[in-house]
């Protein structure tokens, strides 16, 4: 097909007669909800909302949902269902020049698989620890606690709570935080992982990473827990103040461009735009499935879950501010500490603390597993699309291929649970979930909306469902989404901040490793494009010139016909 999308017909998509489909369409809908609804709804959304002034964050968040989230999810599901391929082959079909975007989606999903396990592992470790009485983060009578430990809520920089020290005891960082300074092991303060139980604790954490790969939980269970927690939290003193902070906006915050960029980034990360997960899963749909219904169901339930989680988390924030006697805005909330420090600390003061702790961490486990399954499916689907017969000859069953992928991710992720692993995790998350995904989303939208063309995409949707997309979706695809994502990408680069964990800013050499991690996915886009251009006849500059003419014709005329002289040349 050269560089041009060409005209795709349903007969082209029937080249895989043995490709399975969902036995019931509700299975895809639930799987899509499980993929979109994850730890980001419980962790990232409340954290960004808190940092952006509470209710002020909801305004750009909901706006970005309607002009970016829903239209782009509709676009991805349409492409996946129509091409009946994973992201690599789907992008290669609609825009061969940017087939590297699909390869980058697979790469970023696999990288996230290696460290996303860790967040789920924390939930599993905390879940096991929640069956103790008292809870291990309720008191300072443990071997890992320091002299500055306090068993009551505090906002002092010279002391740390039992909850904070328990989270730190999950990792051997080589040093333990006491007050505002770090005191080394040889000063006499033993970190838990350096105590006699160090090796046992390390193996528990590593084993948890492996066990979670084979356990399946329903996607509906977390909602039962969220509602139960909200009912309980709403009765706690101070909860109303936290909820007010969540729903009442500080309008001056809307003047900050960072709030708008964070809202757009959260939509991409939460729904999964650019990760390829939902595109891969939609490739198993029946050809005439109603894509719009799945789009609205997945995106709206995902956002409602974030808002529900916001009520749960911020009611706990209000309770914590009541215990500490400080405003909600002065709570110390940062990164993983949102759900692994602040919330466990709230449990410690609740009636029947063990019950609420077990329910909460079981909910986190369910949310994380559904997202993990989706990311693994991206790589498995893409491998089967490319090497179906060869892989089945080697592994015989798809389940063995899945096991091999999970095993590889498990081995690569082991450094995240070794000494200083929290820093490895923070570095990978910063440069993957924040840097790489914006580049992938940008090139995906350009490839599908402008080069492949809204006209062709609309025709594909009409062929599947009998209806063309309405004016709103066509306007978002053609006019709103590409420029808006371009602006977001530019300002993401301008306001980029180096990775950090608490007060520790990563040194330049670590930042360099972070960019290598980011490039591990992004690099496939230019490499694949260069490979495609290299195979075309004529001089390189002639190919670039004709490619530029073709791109302009796609953008401004929405024509993808293969009858023009430029297209004939590019088709070879």
């Amino acid at each position: 097909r050269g560089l041009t999308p060409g005209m795709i017909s349903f007969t082209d998509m029937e080249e895989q007669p043995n490709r399975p489909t969902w036995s019931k369409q509700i299975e895809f809908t639930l799987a899509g909800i499980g993929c979109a609804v994850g730890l980001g709804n419980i962790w990232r959304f409340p954290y960004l909302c808190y940092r952006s002034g509470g209710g002020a964050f909801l305004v750009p968040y909901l706006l970005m949902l309607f002009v970016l989230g829903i239209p782009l999810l509709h676009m991805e599901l349409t492409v996946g269902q129509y091409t009946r391929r994973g992201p690599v082959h789907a992008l290669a079909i609609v825009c061969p020049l940017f087939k590297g975007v699909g390869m980058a989606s697979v790469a970023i999903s696999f990288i996230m698989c290696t460290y996303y396990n860790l967040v789920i592992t924390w939930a599993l470790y905390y879940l096991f620890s929640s069956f103790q009485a008292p809870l291990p983060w309720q008191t300072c009578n443990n071997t890992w606690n320091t002299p500055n430990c306090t068993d009551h809520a505090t906002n002092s920089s010279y002391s740390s709570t039992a909850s904070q020290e328990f989270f730190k005891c999950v990792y051997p960082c080589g040093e333990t935080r006491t007050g505002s300074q770090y005191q080394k092991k040889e000063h006499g303060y033993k970190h838990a992982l350096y105590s006699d139980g160090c090796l046992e604790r390390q193996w528990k954490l590593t084993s948890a990473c492996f066990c979670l790969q084979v356990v399946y939980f329903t996607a509906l269970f977390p909602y039962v827990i969220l509602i139960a927690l909200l009912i309980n939290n709403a009765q706690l003193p101070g909860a109303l103040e936290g909820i007010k902070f969540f729903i009442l906006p500080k309008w001056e915050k809307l003047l900050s461009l960072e709030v708008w960029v964070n809202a757009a980034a959260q939509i991409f990360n939460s729904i999964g735009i650019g990760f390829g997960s939902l595109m891969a899963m939609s490739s198993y749909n029946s050809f005439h499935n109603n894509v719009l219904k799945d789009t609205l169901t997945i995106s709206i339930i995902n956002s409602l879950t974030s808002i529900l989680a916001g009520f749960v988390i911020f009611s706990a924030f209000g309770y914590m501010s009541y215990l500490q006697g400080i405003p909600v805005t002065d709570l110390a909330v940062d990164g993983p500490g949102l759900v692994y420090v602040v919330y466990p600390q709230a449990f410690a003061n609740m009636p029947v603390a063990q019950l609420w702790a077990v329910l909460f961490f079981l909910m986190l486990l369910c949310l994380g597993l559904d997202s993990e399954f989706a990311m693994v499916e991206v790589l498995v689907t893409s491998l089967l699309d490319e090497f179906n017969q060869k892989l089945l000859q080697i592994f015989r069953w798809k389940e063995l291929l899945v096991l091999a992928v999970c095993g590889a991710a498990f081995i690569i992720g082991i450094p995240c649970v070794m000494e200083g692993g929290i820093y490895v995790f923070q570095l990978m998350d910063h440069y993957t979930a924040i840097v790489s995904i914006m580049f992938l989303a940008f090139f995906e939208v350009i490839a599908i909306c402008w080069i492949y063309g809204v006209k062709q995409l609309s025709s594909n949707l009409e062929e599947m469902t009998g209806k063309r997309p309405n004016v709103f979706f066509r306007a978002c695809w053609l006019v709103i989404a590409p420029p808006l994502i371009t602006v977001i990408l530019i300002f993401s680069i301008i306001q980029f901040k180096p990775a950090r964990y608490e007060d520790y800013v990563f040194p330049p050499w670590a930042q360099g490793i972070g960019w290598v991690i980011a490039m591990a996915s992004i690099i496939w886009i230019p490499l694949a494009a260069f490979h495609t251009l290299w195979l075309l006849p004529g001089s390189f500059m002639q190919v670039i010139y004709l490619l530029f003419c073709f791109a302009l014709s796609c953008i401004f005329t929405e024509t993808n016909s293969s009858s023009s002289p430029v297209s004939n040349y590019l088709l070879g």
Side-chain angles (χ1 to χ4, degrees):
R1 297 184 187 272
L3 287 170
T4 64
M7 297 296 291
I8 309 172
S9 65
F10 182 36
T11 55
D12 295 329
M13 300 304 103
E14 294 182 313
E15 297 173 0
Q16 284 185 310
N18 297 324
R19 190 176 188 85
T21 58
W22 300 94
S23 57
K24 296 180 181 179
Q25 198 55 42
I26 188 63
E27 293 180 356
F28 167 71
T29 304
L30 290 176
I33 292 172
C35 170
V37 177
L39 292 173
N41 300 78
I42 310 296
W43 174 9
R44 287 188 187 278
F45 175 82
Y47 168 64
L48 290 175
C49 191
Y50 179 83
R51 195 173 67 177
S52 303
F57 184 76
L58 295 179
V59 177
Y61 175 80
L62 293 175
L63 181 62
M64 293 298 176
L65 169 67
F66 285 104
V67 300
L68 284 182
I70 294 177
L72 296 185
L73 177 60
H74 193 25
M75 175 195 74
E76 283 199 352
L77 295 186
T78 299
V79 171
Q81 180 171 306
Y82 192 83
T83 60
R84 298 182 64 78
R85 301 293 192 277
V88 176
H89 280 223
L91 267 297
I93 290 173
V94 301
C95 182
L97 180 65
F98 283 121
K99 64 183 179 182
V101 176
M103 301 168 68
S105 297
V106 174
I108 195 173
S109 293
F110 181 72
I111 293 172
M112 291 192 70
C113 281
T114 63
Y115 76 85
Y116 194 83
N117 278 347
L118 185 61
V119 185
I120 312 173
T121 302
W122 290 336
L124 196 59
Y125 188 81
Y126 269 77
L127 177 63
F128 292 153
S129 302
S130 298
F131 289 97
Q132 304 176 32
L135 292 171
W137 56 83
Q138 273 185 306
T139 68
C140 294
N141 300 324
N142 304 288
T143 57
W144 59 81
N145 293 128
T146 67
N148 290 344
C149 176
T150 175
D151 57 4
H152 60 273
T154 179
N155 202 47
S156 170
S157 60
Y158 297 100
S159 61
S160 54
T161 64
S163 177
Q164 290 173 319
E165 296 198 356
F166 180 78
F167 180 69
K168 291 179 182 295
C169 93
V170 174
Y171 281 103
C173 301
E175 53 192 5
T176 183
R177 186 82 176 265
T178 57
S180 60
Q181 298 180 351
Y182 286 97
Q183 297 190 358
K184 302 293 182 179
K185 295 178 295 178
E186 55 267 23
H187 284 193
Y189 300 133
K190 275 194 173 182
H191 195 284
L193 280 171
Y194 289 109
S195 66
D196 294 338
C198 169
L199 189 59
E200 179 185 358
R201 187 181 299 270
Q202 188 85 13
W203 276 109
K204 282 183 180 179
L205 196 62
T206 308
S207 300
C209 280
F210 179 79
C211 293
L212 60 88
Q213 300 284 357
V214 294
V215 182
Y216 181 78
F217 289 93
T218 174
L220 300 177
F221 177 73
Y223 295 98
V224 178
I225 305 304
L226 281 174
I227 294 173
L229 287 169
L230 179 59
I231 294 174
N232 176 79
N233 291 1
Q235 304 175 49
L236 298 173
L240 184 59
E241 292 302 315
I243 293 176
K244 285 181 179 179
F245 180 82
F246 176 57
I247 62 177
L248 297 179
K250 295 181 179 179
W251 298 109
E252 64 273 12
K253 287 286 188 178
L254 294 179
L255 299 177
S256 172
L257 189 61
E258 183 179 3
V259 174
W260 293 83
V261 173
N262 286 338
Q266 175 59 20
I267 288 295
F268 282 110
N269 281 283
S270 182
I271 296 179
I273 304 298
F275 288 99
S277 303
L278 289 169
M279 187 183 292
M281 288 165 40
S282 67
S283 69
Y284 297 105
N285 280 339
S286 60
F287 185 75
H288 299 290
N289 172 58
N290 188 344
V291 183
L292 180 59
K293 181 181 70 174
D294 289 326
T295 299
L296 295 176
T297 302
I298 294 171
S299 56
I300 292 177
I301 288 181
N302 172 71
S303 293
L304 289 177
T305 304
S306 295
I307 294 174
L308 175 61
F311 278 101
V312 174
I313 298 296
F314 277 89
S315 60
F317 283 175
Y319 179 53
M320 294 305 301
S321 69
Y322 169 80
L323 293 176
Q324 298 183 28
I326 59 175
V328 177
T329 53
D330 293 339
L331 289 174
V333 177
D334 188 21
L338 179 65
V339 292
Y340 291 105
V341 174
V342 176
Y343 218 87
Q345 189 174 339
F347 289 142
N349 297 279
M350 290 181 183
V352 200
Q354 286 75 15
L355 173 63
W356 295 114
V358 167
L359 293 178
F360 181 76
F361 293 115
L362 187 59
M363 176 195 68
L364 292 184
L365 184 62
C366 294
L367 291 172
L369 281 172
D370 284 335
S371 298
E372 182 74 18
F373 293 146
M375 288 186 287
V376 170
E377 185 61 33
V378 173
L379 181 56
V380 172
T381 297
S382 300
L383 288 175
L384 289 176
D385 285 346
E386 182 70 29
F387 311 106
N388 188 31
Q389 296 301 324
K390 293 181 180 179
L391 288 175
L392 291 181
Q393 288 178 358
I394 297 174
F395 293 100
R396 302 191 64 180
W397 296 291
K398 178 183 176 180
E399 289 76 9
L400 292 179
L401 174 61
V402 174
L403 179 62
V405 171
C406 292
F410 165 72
I411 293 173
I412 296 175
I414 286 180
C416 290
V417 297
M418 305 302 287
E419 182 171 344
I422 186 63
Y423 299 103
V424 178
F425 165 82
Q426 198 76 3
L427 192 68
M428 295 182 71
D429 181 65
H430 185 81
Y431 284 92
T432 302
I434 297 178
V435 177
S436 299
I437 190 59
M438 297 307 301
F439 281 95
L440 264 64
F442 170 78
F443 285 107
E444 181 181 287
V445 169
I446 296 300
I448 298 177
C449 294
W450 278 3
I451 298 181
Y452 183 60
V454 172
K455 182 178 180 180
Q456 177 66 17
L457 186 65
S458 301
S459 299
N460 298 154
L461 188 62
E462 184 179 21
E463 186 178 349
M464 290 190 298
T465 64
K467 295 181 180 179
R468 294 179 68 84
N470 57 39
V471 177
F472 170 75
F473 282 108
R474 295 202 301 271
C476 288
W477 291 336
L478 184 63
V479 180
I480 300 177
L484 187 56
I485 292 179
T486 303
V487 172
I488 293 171
L489 178 61
I490 292 173
F491 280 99
S492 297
I493 296 173
I494 293 175
Q495 70 165 15
F496 177 78
K497 297 177 182 178
R500 55 179 286 271
Y501 178 66
E502 295 184 339
D503 297 331
Y504 177 76
V505 178
F506 286 78
W509 65 266
Q511 303 288 346
I513 294 176
W515 281 108
V516 170
I517 295 172
M519 292 303 297
S521 58
I522 300 174
I523 193 64
W524 296 106
I525 300 175
L527 285 180
F530 182 80
H531 179 261
T532 302
L533 293 173
W534 185 262
L535 296 178
L536 292 175
S539 67
F540 185 76
M541 292 305 299
Q542 185 179 16
V543 171
I544 294 296
Y545 172 74
L546 292 175
L547 172 64
F548 178 73
C549 296
F550 175 72
L552 290 179
S553 69
C554 287
I555 294 172
F556 293 108
T557 66
E558 289 192 78
T559 57
N560 298 311
S561 173
S562 58
S563 59
S564 68
V566 175
S567 298
N568 287 334
Y569 173 81
L570 294 176
L571 283 167

